[in-house]
Amino acid sequence: MTATAPILYGARYSVYVRAALMALQEKGVGFDLVEVDIFAAEGPPPGYLGRHPFGRIPAFEHDGFALYETAAITRYVDEAFPGPALQPADARGRARMTQVIGVLDSYAYRPLVWDIYVERVSKPKAGRPSDEALIAAALPRAGLCLDVLEGFLGDGPWLVGDALSLADLHAAPVIDYFRMAPEGRDLLARHERLAAWWDRIAARPSAGVLGRS
């Protein structure tokens, strides 16, 4: 590690920026956050597409090495800096961690965050009506996602065995937003082991980056 602090580009409201922030804090890495709001009326700031050609957040830089995609960023943070390991040591554990992150990205993020949290919580705060049909349609998929995540937990405290991993840090911001909706709180409460996992992750200092209500 050099003395140069890594730079994270993004906005604190983003699920994926929050996952990267939690990884940096769990590793005890000093960093700079450059605020980038991709939802601003004028779009991403000039030059940002050079950091992320798809215009998403976060992007990342460390000693001239540039990255985008949260799973790549958090893995780099874990492997490039000293501190507690955030990935299992064995091949099967790392494969399971990658699987959990894939489930969150491919199947959970959209219904839990956009279709339920945004519709039930974010839109009304902005004075816009909720799409009740969209919420209703998302609930079965949300329930399936919670079933799957609870299955990954098994009898352990974390999503991949006995140690906190990147899988937990990717899941925490998604569940945090989801539980702000009444439907999300009710569904999470029906998954007792997952609700207990949430209490554990929410108690960690790194969870201070989350916008819990």
Side-chain angles (χ1 to χ4, degrees):
M1 174 181 171
T2 72
T4 304
I7 304 170
L8 189 68
Y9 298 85
R12 292 182 182 272
Y13 61 71
S14 164
V15 162
Y16 290 105
V17 171
R18 290 177 176 189
L21 288 170
M22 289 184 74
L24 286 160
Q25 294 199 14
E26 288 287 343
K27 294 292 286 190
V29 177
F31 62 92
D32 295 319
L33 177 65
V34 175
E35 291 283 344
V36 174
D37 183 3
I38 59 172
F39 295 120
E42 63 274 16
Y48 184 69
L49 294 182
R51 298 194 178 279
H52 197 314
F54 300 100
R56 301 290 185 88
I57 50 178
F60 177 88
E61 184 177 340
H62 178 231
D63 280 346
F65 178 64
L67 274 176
Y68 58 88
E69 292 303 295
T70 306
I73 293 168
T74 56
R75 180 172 175 178
Y76 176 84
V77 166
D78 184 42
E79 296 178 3
F81 297 96
L86 298 177
Q87 299 178 85
D90 63 298
R92 291 186 178 185
R94 289 192 302 275
R96 185 69 74 205
M97 179 194 75
T98 302
Q99 183 184 23
V100 174
I101 293 171
V103 166
L104 290 161
D105 289 348
S106 298
Y107 309 115
Y109 172 68
R110 181 77 204 190
L112 273 63
V113 176
W114 280 98
D115 296 347
I116 296 176
Y117 165 76
V118 169
E119 291 296 332
R120 179 60 73 214
V121 179
S122 184
K123 278 189 173 182
K125 282 184 178 178
R128 293 180 290 159
S130 301
D131 186 332
E132 297 294 340
L134 185 58
I135 293 171
L139 285 171
R141 175 55 65 94
L144 174 60
C145 289
L146 296 194
D147 291 344
V148 169
L149 291 173
E150 191 164 70
F152 286 130
L153 269 172
D155 295 324
W158 303 110
L159 288 169
V160 185
D162 293 332
L164 180 86
S165 77
L166 297 178
D168 302 288
L169 305 185
H170 281 252
V174 174
I175 298 299
D176 182 46
Y177 272 133
F178 178 64
R179 59 174 288 281
M180 292 183 189
E183 296 88 345
R185 284 196 297 274
D186 290 345
L187 266 177
L188 183 60
R190 296 176 206 166
H191 294 77
E192 293 182 4
R193 285 179 291 125
L194 193 61
W197 164 87
W198 165 253
D199 289 340
R200 284 189 290 274
I201 194 88
R204 297 185 74 85
S206 66
V209 307
L210 304 178
R212 299 192 299 279
S213 63

